[in-house]
């Protein structure tokens, strides 16, 4: 029978031997199908994602902008979603282009991810870093029924098919999308054979997307640290004292001691040339902005004071060009200058204030970096000694590294943007000044054209000017002569004996050419300042203070030395009075007696013979010798000065001879007095004019 034929069993075993091959083919077909589905999912979800972002940008945000709600911060809500949309649209276009090139599609998709790696990281890290702040804004808007109603109305009008009740539904989509790229690539990779040419390329693409997400998380952590430490807090003294505790005091003490060791060279500083260069540029920019802001503030204040003065409104009995001046000044005060001040405030001062406020965050972060650097160095030193650190110390080290990395990466861009901002402000200032000059010149030309000599030839015009100046000079000369007859002349007021001795001491120590007189009462308000009375005589020691300020002079007031304002001193010199052997102090011939710009022709004065008086050096104070090289003195004891300095040339000590003994004494203890009776030192004084009846 055919059924019992011995050849039949082998025939039945044939399908059994082919079954593993058949299953392998089925598995390959299933993997290829799953791979194709995964690629389709990547492209379709990307298209849906781009469409949703377009709805968010073009519909929702535009509708909210049209409502013009001042309490909604659209920039804080949507951040850089425009950049995200731009990158995503170009990425989607590249994905769709791979569909027609199916044999090489996986390689092209992998290459596309690698190509967009840097752009994706750049835009998504900014968006993800701002996402938490956007959610806080959404939650704050929910607490305001009016704003929440406006937002819900916008969503129902623009995207009713989504059923979204708040903006967080759309704001989270970019965050979810960037984290889904590694999963989609991993799904394609799982359904791709290891022997496939695109396998390694897909692995690289998946690793690149994982790296992007890791970098985004690290960037968010750095931004959180920066946000925490860059806030400028305005605390009262009570609040600052309330924050002090044992931990904060110990930490600040450790930082301060570390800083002292840096300055003393005990421990080396951690050098970061890249950061130091960026900080130097930033500080230079910050100081420039601060100085410019102060100057613009002063400019605006002075302009306001100028506008308050309106001399053109005074009724002066003047003819001719005065009328044109009144019209021109009135036009400038009513329209041109107020408009210039308004534009200056709007286009220069307000942007400058905004830039100054923007600089405060990085300034605070740079200061915090120094504090954390000191902590970091202290922990590093401990780690090198013990080999381990605590969890809190590790967190402190990571905080410093995060702040430093963020500053190094962000400061170049910040400096560049701030410089562009400052440059635009300066260009606006220059443009405003040009516009002001142009407007003033136009108005002035209109008024000048109405003057009678506007069309006079140039030689004739200069002749008119000279004649006018001659007449004005004659009027001024007459006025000055009348002024001299009305004002009283200075009278002589003798000095007291104590004042005479003090002045003689100043002359002996510093010379008559160093004498100055105080022109008005001086009340010392700073350290080392002197309080002096009007008419008091001092000797000049140095024409500037220790900081190089030439407005404060170092003087000797006859015992006390200190600083006074240079503008309140007037030079004096010794002259011969009419009485024999009598001296008086008078103002220096080079200083004008009265402050008027016109000087009368000087009349010849009789020459007076000046004879120097004879002086004797005496001890002004008692001095007790403290070494064999010194000699003791009694107050008023006459002596002979052998050398007005010591062996090193210092004028603090003088070599003298007293009663046959030689030795050094302080130069400030010596004074010079006339050998004969004092003839009457005197100061100029002014008497009030007598009332004439």
């Amino acid at each position: 029978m055919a059924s019992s034929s011995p050849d039949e069993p082998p025939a039945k075993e044939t399908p059994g031997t082919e079954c593993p091959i058949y299953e392998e083919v089925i598995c390959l077909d299933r993997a290829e199908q799953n791979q194709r589905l995964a690629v389709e999912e990547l492209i379709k979800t990307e298209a849906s994602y781009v469409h949703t972002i377009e709805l968010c940008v073009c519909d929702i945000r535009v509708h909210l902008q049209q409502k013009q709600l001042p309490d909604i911060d659209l920039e804080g809500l949507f951040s850089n979603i425009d950049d995200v949309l731009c990158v995503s649209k170009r990425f989607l276009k590249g994905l769709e282009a791979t569909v027609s090139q199916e044999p090489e599609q996986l390689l092209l998709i992998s290459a596309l991810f690698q190509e967009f790696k840097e752009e994706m990281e750049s835009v998504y890290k900014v968006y993800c870093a701002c996402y938490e702040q956007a959610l806080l804004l959404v939650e704050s808007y929910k607490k305001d029924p009016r704003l929440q109603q406006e937002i819900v109305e916008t969503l129902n009008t623009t995207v009713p098919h989504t059923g979204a009740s708040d903006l967080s539904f759309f704001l989270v989509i970019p965050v979810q999308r960037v984290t889904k790229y590694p999963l989609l690539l991993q799904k394609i990779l799982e359904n791709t054979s290891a022997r496939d040419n695109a396998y390694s390329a897909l692995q690289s693409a998946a690793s690149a997307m994982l790296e992007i997400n890791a970098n985004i998380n690290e960037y968010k952590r750095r931004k959180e640290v920066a946000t925490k430490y860059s806030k400028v807090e305005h605390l009262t003294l009570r609040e600052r004292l309330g924050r002090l505790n044992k931990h904060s005091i110990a930490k600040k003490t450790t930082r301060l001691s570390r800083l002292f060791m840096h300055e003393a060279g005990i421990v080396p500083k951690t050098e970061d040339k890249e950061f130091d260069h960026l900080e130097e540029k930033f500080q230079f920019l910050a100081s420039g902005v601060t100085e410019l802001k102060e100057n613009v503030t002063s400019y605006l204040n002075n302009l306001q004071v100028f506008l308050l003065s309106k001399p053109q409104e005074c009724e002066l009995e003047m003819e001719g060009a005065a009328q044109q001046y009144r019209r021109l000044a009135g036009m400038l005060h009513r329209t041109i200058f107020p408009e210039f001040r308004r534009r200056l405030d709007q286009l220069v001062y307000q942007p400058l204030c905004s830039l100054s406020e923007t600089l405060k965050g990085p300034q605070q972060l740079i200061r915090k970096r120094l504090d954390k650097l000191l902590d970091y160095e202290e922990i590093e030193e401990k780690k090198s000694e013990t080999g381990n650190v605590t969890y809190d110390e590790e967190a402190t080290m990571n905080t410093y590294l995060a702040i430093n990395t963020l500053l190094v990466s962000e400061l170049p861009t910040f400096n560049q943007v701030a410089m562009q901002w400052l440059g635009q402000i300066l260009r606006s200032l220059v443009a405003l000044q040009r516009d002001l000059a142009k407007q003033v010149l136009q108005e002035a030309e209109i008024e000048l054209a109405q003057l009678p000599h506007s069309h006079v030839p140039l030689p004739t015009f200069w002749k008119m000017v000279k004649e006018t100046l001659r007449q004005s000079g004659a009027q001024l000369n007459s006025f000055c002569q009348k002024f001299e007859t009305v004002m009283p002349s200075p009278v002589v007021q003798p000095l007291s004996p104590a004042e005479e001795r003090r002045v003689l001491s100043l002359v002996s120590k510093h010379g008559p050419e160093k004498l100055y007189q105080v022109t008005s009462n001086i009340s010392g308000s700073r350290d080392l300042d002197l309080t002096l009375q009007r008419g008091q005589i001092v000797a000049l020691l140095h024409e500037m203070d220790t900081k190089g300020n030439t407005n404060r002079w170092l003087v000797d007031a006859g015992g006390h030395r200190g600083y006074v304002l240079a503008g309140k001193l007037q030079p004096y010199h010794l002259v011969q009075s009419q009485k024999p052997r009598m001296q008086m102090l008078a103002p220096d011939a080079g200083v004008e007696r009265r402050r008027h710009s016109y000087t009368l022709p000087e009349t010849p004065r009789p020459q007076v013979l000046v004879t120097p008086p004879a002086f004797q050096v005496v001890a002004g104070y008692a001095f007790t010798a403290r070494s064999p090289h010194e000699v003791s003195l009694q107050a008023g004891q006459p002596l002979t000065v052998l050398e007005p300095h010591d062996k090193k040339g210092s004028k603090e000590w003088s070599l003298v001879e007293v009663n046959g003994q030689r030795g050094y004494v302080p130069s400030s203890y010596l004074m010079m007095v006339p050998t004969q009776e004092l003839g009457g030192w005197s100061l100029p004084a002014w008497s009030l004019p007598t009332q004439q009846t």
Side-chain angles (χ1 to χ4, degrees):
M1 292 186 301
S3 60
S4 60
S5 174
D7 297 335
E8 288 182 2
K12 291 180 180 180
E13 291 176 2
T14 301
T17 57
E18 293 179 355
C19 184
I21 301 175
Y22 178 73
E23 291 179 355
E24 183 178 355
V25 171
I26 292 176
C27 290
L28 289 174
D29 291 342
R30 186 181 297 113
E32 184 178 352
Q33 183 179 4
N34 290 339
Q35 182 191 81
R36 187 178 299 109
L37 290 176
V39 172
E40 289 179 0
E41 181 184 3
L42 171 64
I43 298 175
K44 288 182 179 179
T45 54
E46 186 69 21
S48 175
Y49 165 67
V50 171
H51 176 67
T52 305
I53 298 300
E54 285 180 334
L55 288 177
C56 188
V57 172
C58 301
D59 294 344
I60 299 176
R61 189 176 66 178
V62 170
H63 195 273
L64 289 174
Q65 286 175 342
Q66 292 174 350
K67 286 179 175 291
Q68 296 182 353
L69 301 173
D71 297 330
I72 293 184
D73 183 7
L74 295 179
E75 185 176 353
L77 282 173
F78 297 99
S79 184
N80 66 326
I81 197 170
D82 293 299
D83 299 331
V84 174
L85 177 60
C86 179
V87 172
S88 299
K89 288 174 71 174
R90 291 193 293 111
F91 182 68
L92 174 61
K93 185 177 180 180
L95 288 177
E96 292 174 342
T98 63
V99 176
S100 60
Q101 303 177 13
E102 189 168 345
E104 305 292 333
Q105 186 178 16
L106 295 181
L107 288 173
L108 293 174
I109 290 176
S110 302
L112 195 63
F113 273 100
Q114 295 287 358
E115 179 184 349
F116 279 82
K117 175 185 175 182
E118 293 185 1
E119 288 189 77
M120 284 184 175
E121 180 178 342
S122 176
V123 298
Y124 279 107
K125 73 178 182 181
V126 175
Y127 186 88
C128 293
C130 300
Y131 173 67
E132 297 295 334
Q133 183 64 28
L135 289 184
L136 293 177
L137 289 175
V138 172
E139 292 300 322
S140 65
Y141 297 154
K142 287 182 180 180
K143 298 178 182 179
D144 190 334
R146 182 181 62 85
L147 291 179
Q148 181 63 16
Q149 182 180 357
E150 295 288 349
I151 293 173
V152 172
E153 181 184 349
T154 297
L155 295 177
N156 293 334
T157 303
T158 55
V159 285
H161 58 282
T162 61
S165 60
D166 58 51
L167 293 173
S168 59
F169 175 83
F170 295 94
L171 298 178
V172 74
I173 291 177
V175 179
Q176 294 174 338
R177 186 61 185 174
V178 72
T179 58
K180 197 171 183 180
Y181 284 135
L183 301 177
L184 293 172
L185 286 173
Q186 187 64 31
K187 189 174 182 180
I188 298 174
L189 189 63
E190 291 173 355
N191 294 282
T192 303
S193 173
R195 297 187 298 272
D196 196 306
N197 295 333
Y199 188 82
S200 60
L202 287 171
Q203 280 185 323
S204 299
S207 300
M209 291 298 103
L210 288 173
E211 183 181 351
I212 286 178
N213 281 272
N215 293 341
I216 290 174
N217 291 332
E218 179 64 20
Y219 181 80
K220 285 179 61 179
R221 188 180 71 85
R222 294 173 187 170
K223 291 290 289 185
E224 289 171 357
V225 172
T227 302
K228 175 183 176 181
Y229 290 106
S230 62
K231 292 180 179 178
V232 180
E233 297 181 327
H234 302 282
L235 302 178
T236 62
L237 180 60
R238 183 186 298 273
E239 293 171 340
R240 292 180 182 274
L241 293 176
R243 290 190 175 188
L244 290 178
N245 51 49
K246 292 183 179 179
H247 174 71
S248 62
I249 294 175
K251 185 165 60 175
K252 293 181 183 299
T253 303
T254 303
R255 290 173 181 171
L256 188 60
S257 63
R258 190 80 185 181
L259 191 60
F260 283 157
M261 287 190 290
H262 279 173
E263 298 299 328
I266 300 175
V267 294
K269 296 181 181 179
T270 301
E271 293 187 359
D272 189 341
K273 293 183 178 180
E274 183 179 5
F275 173 79
D276 293 341
H277 176 68
L278 292 173
E279 184 192 8
E280 183 180 1
K281 292 184 64 176
F282 173 81
Q283 298 296 354
F284 177 78
L285 174 65
S287 62
V289 170
T290 302
E291 185 174 358
L292 180 61
K293 181 183 175 183
E294 293 175 355
N295 291 336
V296 173
T297 303
S298 178
Y299 187 15
L300 287 171
N301 293 336
N302 292 336
L303 187 58
Q304 182 66 26
V305 173
F306 171 74
L307 292 176
L308 293 176
S309 174
K310 300 177 181 180
Q312 72 279 0
E313 296 182 359
C314 299
E315 293 294 337
L316 301 177
E317 297 180 359
M318 299 180 67
E319 302 275 338
Q323 301 302 322
Q324 281 76 18
Y325 164 75
R326 292 184 63 183
R327 286 196 297 268
L328 176 60
M331 176 64 68
L332 296 180
H333 278 70
R334 285 193 305 270
T335 59
I336 295 180
F337 283 145
E339 177 64 16
F340 169 73
R341 189 181 186 280
R342 185 191 66 80
R343 296 179 64 195
L344 184 65
D345 179 78
Q346 181 180 358
L347 301 178
V348 176
Y349 183 70
Q350 295 300 333
L352 203 56
C353 292
S354 300
L355 177 57
S356 179
E357 287 295 322
T358 306
L359 294 175
K360 290 182 179 180
Q363 284 176 328
Q364 180 71 10
L365 197 59
I366 289 173
R367 286 193 290 267
K368 287 295 182 181
R369 176 195 174 274
L370 176 60
D371 294 341
K372 298 302 178 182
L373 173 60
L374 297 174
D375 297 340
Y376 178 84
E377 291 178 343
E378 193 73 22
I379 297 172
E380 274 288 323
E381 185 176 333
K382 175 185 175 183
K383 186 177 181 181
S384 62
E385 295 175 356
T386 62
N388 56 2
V389 292
T390 64
Y391 177 80
D392 292 338
E393 291 173 340
E394 186 71 25
T396 300
M397 296 176 68
N398 292 333
T399 298
Y400 162 72
L401 294 175
I403 294 176
N404 186 72
T405 304
L406 182 67
L407 286 173
V408 171
S409 61
E410 297 289 335
L411 269 184
T413 304
F414 183 88
N415 288 341
Q416 182 181 2
V417 173
M419 284 295 293
Q420 294 174 354
W421 193 348
L422 180 60
Q424 184 59 44
I425 291 174
L426 292 174
R427 285 190 289 270
S428 300
L429 178 60
V430 172
L432 288 175
Q433 294 286 352
R434 287 177 177 174
D435 291 345
L436 175 65
K438 183 178 179 181
Q439 293 175 355
V440 172
L441 183 59
Q442 289 176 350
E443 295 295 332
E445 288 177 346
I446 295 174
E447 297 299 334
L448 288 174
Q450 302 178 14
L451 294 176
H453 52 73
S454 58
H455 302 290
V456 174
L458 190 59
T460 307
F461 173 76
W462 283 116
K463 186 176 180 181
M464 293 172 55
V465 170
K466 291 179 180 179
E467 180 62 23
T468 303
L469 291 177
R470 188 190 65 78
Q471 295 177 0
S472 300
Q475 294 176 358
L476 183 59
N477 188 13
S478 175
F479 172 78
C480 291
Q481 290 178 355
K482 185 176 181 180
F483 181 80
E484 292 290 343
T485 59
V486 173
M487 291 298 295
S489 300
V491 298
V492 175
Q493 179 181 359
L495 289 173
S496 63
E499 185 70 12
E500 290 177 355
R501 288 193 298 271
R502 192 181 62 80
V503 172
L504 284 173
S505 176
L506 293 175
V507 172
S508 64
K509 288 191 291 185
H510 307 288
E513 68 279 358
K514 295 291 186 179
L515 291 183
Y516 282 78
Q517 186 182 31
V518 180
T519 58
S520 61
N521 293 337
I522 299 177
S523 178
S525 58
R526 300 167 58 180
D527 293 340
L528 302 180
D529 280 0
L530 293 179
T531 298
L532 303 175
Q533 300 296 322
R534 177 180 178 271
Q536 191 170 343
I537 299 173
V538 296
L540 176 63
L541 299 178
H542 200 49
E543 294 183 350
M544 65 176 65
D545 60 9
T546 56
K547 296 182 179 180
N549 183 9
T550 56
N551 292 327
R552 295 177 74 225
W553 286 2
L554 179 64
V555 299
D556 183 0
H560 297 284
R561 295 186 178 186
Y563 294 99
V564 296
L565 294 176
K568 294 191 175 183
L569 297 179
Q570 185 177 9
Y572 270 75
H573 70 296
L574 297 173
V575 298
Q576 184 81 5
S577 65
Q578 279 77 9
K579 294 183 180 181
R581 308 190 64 83
M582 182 180 295
Q583 305 291 334
M584 63 176 290
L585 284 175
D588 190 12
V591 179
E592 293 185 7
R593 190 153 44 100
R594 295 190 177 92
R595 299 179 178 271
H596 53 76
S597 59
Y598 185 84
T599 57
L600 294 173
E602 296 185 358
T603 58
R605 297 181 180 178
Q607 297 184 354
V608 180
L609 179 63
V610 180
T611 59
F615 290 98
Q616 171 66 47
V617 180
V618 299
Y621 311 95
F623 175 71
T624 303
R626 296 166 296 181
S627 69
H629 302 288
E630 299 176 357
V631 64
S632 299
L633 298 176
Q634 298 295 328
Q637 185 177 7
L639 52 90
T640 303
V641 178
L642 303 178
E643 292 182 356
H645 54 77
D646 59 11
K647 294 182 179 180
K648 296 182 179 180
S650 174
K651 295 185 178 181
E652 297 290 333
W653 294 83
S654 298
L655 180 62
V656 301
E657 182 177 354
V658 183
N659 297 331
Q661 296 182 353
R662 295 188 177 187
Y664 288 98
V665 296
S667 300
S668 58
Y669 279 51
L670 305 180
M671 62 183 301
M672 188 179 297
V673 297
T675 56
Q676 299 181 5
E677 184 181 358
L678 294 175
W681 284 82
S682 56
L683 284 174
W686 288 263
S687 61
L688 296 175
T690 57
Q691 184 177 4
Q692 299 188 12
T693 58

